[in-house]
Amino acid sequence: MASQIIGKFKQLDAYAKTLEDFRVKTATGAIITVTGAFVMILLILSELHTYMSPNISEELFVDTSRGHKLRINFDIVVPRISCDYLVLDAMDSSGEQHLQMDHNVHKRRLDLDGVPIQEPVKEDISLSSTVKQNNSEIAVVTCGSCYGAAFNDSQCCNTCEDVKEAYRLRRWALPDLATVEQCKDDDSLERTNLALKEGCQIYGYMEVNRVGGSFHIAPGKSFTINHVHVHDVQPFSSSVFNTTHIIRHLSFGSDIESGNTAPLDGITGLAKEDHNF
């Protein structure tokens, strides 16, 4: 029985001699034939699989050459921080900083369920130091109190922002804004009360230098002290802000045909502790 199996196995030898008289089929030849056929079939199937499913390799690199501006497109939703407390900052390796950017950037107020409260608003930075009285704007001529934060007797705090700035320079915690006379008729008190009761969608685009850099969206007014970038979130502490966010869209430059230029679209960042993003 064993000799018959071996005899049939020898018939698989593909390297027999040409003449029948000199044709010798061996088990070694059969092993080589079967092994070679198996390897060839495996290689054919492997090449066919590679051909039918091409592999796309994505690479991300930083272009550090100076030149034209780079456009950054974004659409980000922060469900638990109001628009009035969110600022967008950008900075690059050349030393240029853009604090509290609002150029080509829009904010839409959302409730805690993500439903829009009002239409998108493009905010303008007001540099006016006037107040409204009797439906007309008149310059402030009185010297308001800084509530102990003034550096000298001649320093005046005529607006709610002046009081906040004085306390920020002193690095003191803000008092209850309801007790500050300048803040009673200011809408900053209402904005503070809504800071954690609303969400915000911030979207648009910005153009930055084509060098290494970064940008971030964070709560609180941003400023620089001794070359250190900080955010003032008073009267809150940084730990009360939930910076969970949803990246609806984020791309750099123009779209590339047949390429994925927005790999982070649809990603949700879950904040487990207080931080920026």
Side-chain angles (χ1 to χ4, degrees):
M1 185 66 180
S3 61
Q4 292 178 353
I5 295 175
I6 294 176
K8 291 182 179 181
F9 183 72
K10 290 180 180 180
Q11 298 299 320
L12 298 175
D13 186 0
Y15 299 96
K17 297 297 183 179
T18 304
L19 298 178
E20 186 67 28
D21 295 338
F22 300 99
R23 188 174 298 168
V24 178
K25 296 186 177 182
T26 63
T28 304
I31 292 174
I32 295 175
T33 301
V34 173
T35 303
F38 177 76
V39 171
M40 285 188 291
I41 294 173
L42 186 63
L43 290 175
I44 291 173
L45 293 177
S46 176
E47 291 297 325
L48 181 62
H49 175 73
T50 303
Y51 176 78
M52 297 300 294
S53 58
N55 183 28
I56 300 177
S57 178
E58 298 183 359
E59 295 183 0
L60 177 66
F61 65 93
V62 178
D63 184 2
T64 58
S65 61
R66 296 298 296 267
H68 298 292
K69 296 287 187 178
L70 172 67
R71 176 164 172 163
I72 302 177
N73 311 286
F74 58 91
D75 184 355
I76 298 175
V77 174
V78 185
R80 292 295 183 270
I81 304 178
S82 67
C83 291
D84 291 321
Y85 256 76
L86 283 178
V87 295
L88 170 63
D89 298 334
M91 57 198 70
D92 57 47
S93 58
S94 66
E96 185 173 350
Q97 295 189 21
H98 305 274
L99 304 182
Q100 304 181 57
M101 295 181 63
D102 63 353
H103 184 59
N104 298 319
V105 175
H106 293 77
K107 294 179 180 179
R108 177 187 280 123
R109 293 172 59 196
L110 309 174
D111 61 19
L112 295 181
D113 295 324
V115 179
I117 298 177
Q118 65 180 32
E119 292 301 313
V121 175
K122 182 179 179 181
E123 296 183 342
D124 294 325
I125 299 178
S126 176
L127 300 179
S128 174
S129 61
T130 62
V131 296
K132 290 185 178 181
Q133 292 185 3
N134 298 326
N135 297 325
S136 63
E137 292 189 354
I138 61 175
V140 177
V141 294
T142 60
C143 184
S145 172
C146 293
Y147 295 86
F151 285 94
N152 51 64
D153 295 336
S154 62
Q155 182 176 351
C156 300
C157 295
N158 298 323
T159 65
C160 188
E161 290 299 325
D162 290 341
V163 177
K164 292 180 181 179
E165 182 69 11
Y167 270 80
R168 181 183 67 79
L169 294 176
R170 287 284 191 178
R171 299 186 183 183
W172 293 353
L174 277 174
D176 185 0
L177 295 181
T179 63
V180 178
E181 187 67 27
Q182 293 89 326
C183 296
K184 289 184 178 180
D185 296 329
D186 192 271
D187 58 356
S188 61
L189 183 59
E190 181 181 358
R191 293 198 302 265
T192 301
N193 293 332
L194 296 177
L196 306 177
K197 299 178 181 179
E198 291 184 358
C200 183
Q201 177 188 3
I202 179 170
Y203 67 94
Y205 70 91
M206 57 182 172
E207 294 182 341
V208 297
N209 296 327
R210 293 174 62 87
V211 296
S214 64
F215 76 94
H216 61 260
I217 300 171
K221 183 179 180 181
S222 58
F223 55 92
T224 301
I225 297 180
N226 298 329
H227 305 288
V228 178
H229 182 78
V230 296
H231 285 260
D232 183 7
V233 295
Q234 295 191 56
F236 302 101
S237 65
S238 59
S239 60
V240 303
F241 290 99
N242 183 353
T243 55
T244 295
H245 56 281
I246 303 170
I247 302 177
R248 299 180 62 180
H249 178 73
L250 178 62
S251 62
F252 299 83
S254 57
D255 294 337
I256 301 177
E257 186 178 355
S258 72
N260 184 8
T261 59
L264 295 180
D265 286 8
I267 297 296
T268 299
L270 184 61
K272 298 182 179 179
E273 58 184 35
D274 56 291
H275 55 74
N276 300 337
F277 58 92

